[in-house]
Amino acid sequence: MDTIVAPIMWLVSWVMYGIHWGLTNLFGLAEGSGPAWVLSVVGLTIVVRLLILPLYNKQINATRQTQILQPEIQKIQKKYKGKKDTVSQQRQQEEMSALYKKHGTSPFASCLPMLVQMPILFSLFRVLYAFPRIAEGERGPLGPIDVTTAEAFENSTVFGAPLSASFGSASEASLPINVRIVAGVLVAFMVVSMFYTQKQLTMKNMPDSAMDPSNPAFKTQKYMLYGMPFIYLFSGAAFQVGVLVYWAAGNIWNIGQQTWFIRNNPTPGSQAYRERQERLRKKRLRKGMSEEEAETLAQEEAAAAGGQRQQPMSKERAKKAGVDKTVADSPAEVEDEDIDPSEVRGKDGLTDAERARKRYERRQAERARSKAKQEQRKKKAQQNNKKRNF
């Protein structure tokens, strides 16, 4: 097994050794055994998280798009519900793939950071497992880790628990109680932190449309909410204290990173998104913006983020919906009747009437572009029909 992950083990050992060298030579920490080796494991966590940050951004975007697409996914699933034949199953998969492709996402993109980290985590496990054997001369050096370095690492502890010791092998340590307490506290922290992060994603950053109890994706999220933390209870007993330190530091990083993303870039339609919109509205009002301006900006942001906004209607659609087309199409003319020419201008240099006129012109331009696209599609369809007939 070490042969397969040998390159990653070599890289992990060099990263830890380089961080340890920097801590001892640049920051004055004691060489040999001591907290420098514990901090080198934490430093490895930071280096790995920084390297996979672009993947994390892709994961966030993919998860968000998947959550937004849940209503469309449920429509497709409902369409083929109860159809178990091969043709129906194939068509369902094709429609799902086309939907994901159209919106530039994939159900597997959210797994990328975990998939990248698993080889590193396993390599760290094998590196820590190799330290005692290197110190005792049972195997050769691993990158920069020779006998002296391995002995120094072996003597480094976290509150009396050696970094290479585990809960299962605590009886072999000089202070088995310390090992069990430290390992137990780290595992308990990981369980709580994992539950917290999953709770934030499931309850605060999911759109209301995706939180249907009958939604399979929502059910999966709830299973992960309660199931994932329990994995730590069983796997934590086998991992060394050094691996638990790496994992705990990674969970702390996850909490901070996820909190920042949920606060500043939440999923449209979620509770976090509504809270952010309310914060932005209050901030704009404090800066002197009117309620109308703040509401207009909020609608534009919602449209840009994929949220819902009032779409322009044609005359036929307006007649069916019972909307007065004259009023709906020309808010500028309606507002102009009550506008005082000496009205105070806002920060954008426009009066309310001028802003209404701009909105009206913008809607007209959108309709013109939409109509031009429809005509272009009709021409292409006619040309394709002519070619087929020919």
Side-chain angles (χ1 to χ4, degrees):
M1 184 62 70
D2 285 357
T3 304
I4 299 175
V5 295
I8 305 178
M9 290 174 62
W10 182 86
L11 184 61
V12 167
S13 61
W14 266 109
V15 171
M16 290 176 59
Y17 183 83
I19 295 172
H20 181 269
W21 182 91
L23 292 172
T24 54
N25 290 275
L26 301 178
F27 295 94
L29 293 181
E31 295 185 4
S33 60
W37 278 113
V38 180
L39 294 177
S40 68
V41 176
V42 177
L44 175 66
T45 307
I46 297 173
V47 170
V48 172
R49 294 308 174 111
L50 288 175
L51 290 176
I52 67 171
L53 191 59
L55 293 178
Y56 182 82
N57 292 337
K58 287 186 178 181
Q59 177 196 24
I60 292 294
N61 292 331
T63 303
R64 172 184 300 172
Q65 285 295 330
T66 303
Q67 291 172 348
I68 294 174
L69 291 177
Q70 280 306 310
E72 298 295 327
I73 294 172
Q74 287 180 288
K75 286 181 182 178
I76 296 175
Q77 292 173 341
K78 187 176 180 180
K79 178 181 177 182
Y80 292 97
K81 184 178 180 180
K83 298 180 181 179
K84 304 297 183 181
D85 58 287
T86 307
V87 176
S88 298
Q89 292 293 319
Q90 185 177 355
R91 287 179 178 175
Q92 181 179 358
Q93 290 299 324
E94 289 175 353
E95 290 187 25
M96 296 279 279
S97 300
L99 180 65
Y100 283 123
K101 186 176 180 180
K102 177 183 177 181
H103 293 271
T105 185
S106 167
F108 305 106
S110 58
C111 303
L112 281 176
M114 181 59 70
L115 292 177
V116 170
Q117 283 192 87
M118 288 308 294
I120 298 173
L121 188 66
F122 185 75
S123 299
L124 177 62
F125 175 82
R126 297 302 300 175
V127 167
L128 297 180
Y129 179 78
F131 270 106
R133 298 175 61 197
I134 296 174
E136 295 171 4
E138 295 181 5
R139 66 161 289 170
L142 178 61
I145 309 299
D146 53 17
V147 175
T148 305
T149 307
E151 289 178 348
F153 186 90
E154 278 288 284
N155 295 324
S156 300
T157 61
V158 179
F159 298 106
L163 291 174
S164 297
S166 65
F167 192 93
S169 63
S171 57
E172 302 174 6
S174 57
L175 296 172
I177 296 179
N178 291 46
V179 175
R180 291 192 177 98
I181 292 175
V182 170
V185 169
L186 288 173
V187 170
F189 170 77
M190 290 191 298
V191 169
V192 173
S193 58
M194 171 61 78
F195 181 83
Y196 174 78
T197 53
Q198 289 294 325
K199 184 82 171 177
Q200 289 284 92
L201 287 175
T202 305
M203 300 302 175
K204 195 171 183 179
N205 201 40
M206 284 188 73
D208 297 337
S209 59
M211 296 180 69
D212 184 0
S214 62
N215 182 5
F218 183 67
K219 289 182 179 179
T220 303
Q221 287 284 350
K222 292 201 74 173
Y223 292 148
M224 291 178 64
L225 172 64
Y226 296 103
M228 286 293 291
F230 281 99
I231 295 177
Y232 286 132
L233 292 177
F234 300 100
S235 61
F239 288 134
Q240 302 100 326
V241 172
V243 176
L244 297 180
V245 170
Y246 173 89
W247 221 333
N251 282 11
I252 294 173
W253 179 284
N254 275 345
I255 290 174
Q257 187 172 249
Q258 182 176 284
T259 301
W260 187 91
F261 268 97
I262 290 178
R263 179 177 175 82
N264 296 283
N265 198 15
T267 303
S270 64
Q271 177 188 344
Y273 183 81
R274 291 191 293 270
E275 292 175 357
R276 180 177 180 270
Q277 291 299 99
E278 182 62 21
R279 289 196 303 272
L280 291 176
R281 189 186 72 83
K282 291 180 179 179
K283 184 178 179 181
R284 289 161 181 162
L285 292 178
R286 285 197 301 269
K287 288 185 176 180
M289 188 176 290
S290 66
E291 285 278 0
E292 183 184 356
E293 291 173 320
E295 183 65 25
T296 301
L297 282 176
Q299 290 178 0
E300 291 176 354
E301 288 174 356
Q308 297 294 325
R309 68 179 180 88
Q310 185 67 33
Q311 297 291 340
M313 290 186 180
S314 64
K315 291 183 178 179
E316 293 181 0
R317 287 179 59 199
K319 186 181 295 183
K320 289 180 181 179
V323 178
D324 188 347
K325 184 64 180 170
T326 307
V327 176
D329 268 356
S330 55
E333 286 84 346
V334 175
E335 293 182 18
D336 282 344
E337 296 178 1
D338 300 324
I339 295 297
D340 185 357
S342 60
E343 183 182 7
V344 178
R345 296 178 180 270
K347 289 191 173 183
D348 55 1
L350 302 175
T351 63
D352 288 343
E354 290 170 339
R355 278 190 291 272
R357 168 62 65 179
K358 280 186 172 293
R359 287 196 300 271
Y360 172 68
E361 292 174 351
R362 187 165 58 247
R363 286 196 296 268
Q364 291 294 89
E366 289 176 357
R367 292 175 187 139
R369 286 194 297 269
S370 178
K371 187 175 180 181
K373 287 181 180 179
Q374 289 178 359
E375 291 177 355
Q376 190 175 7
R377 283 196 293 268
K378 287 181 181 178
K379 288 181 180 179
K380 284 186 178 180
Q382 292 173 357
Q383 291 174 357
N384 291 335
N385 289 331
K386 287 180 180 179
K387 288 181 181 178
R388 293 193 192 99
N389 296 331
F390 180 75

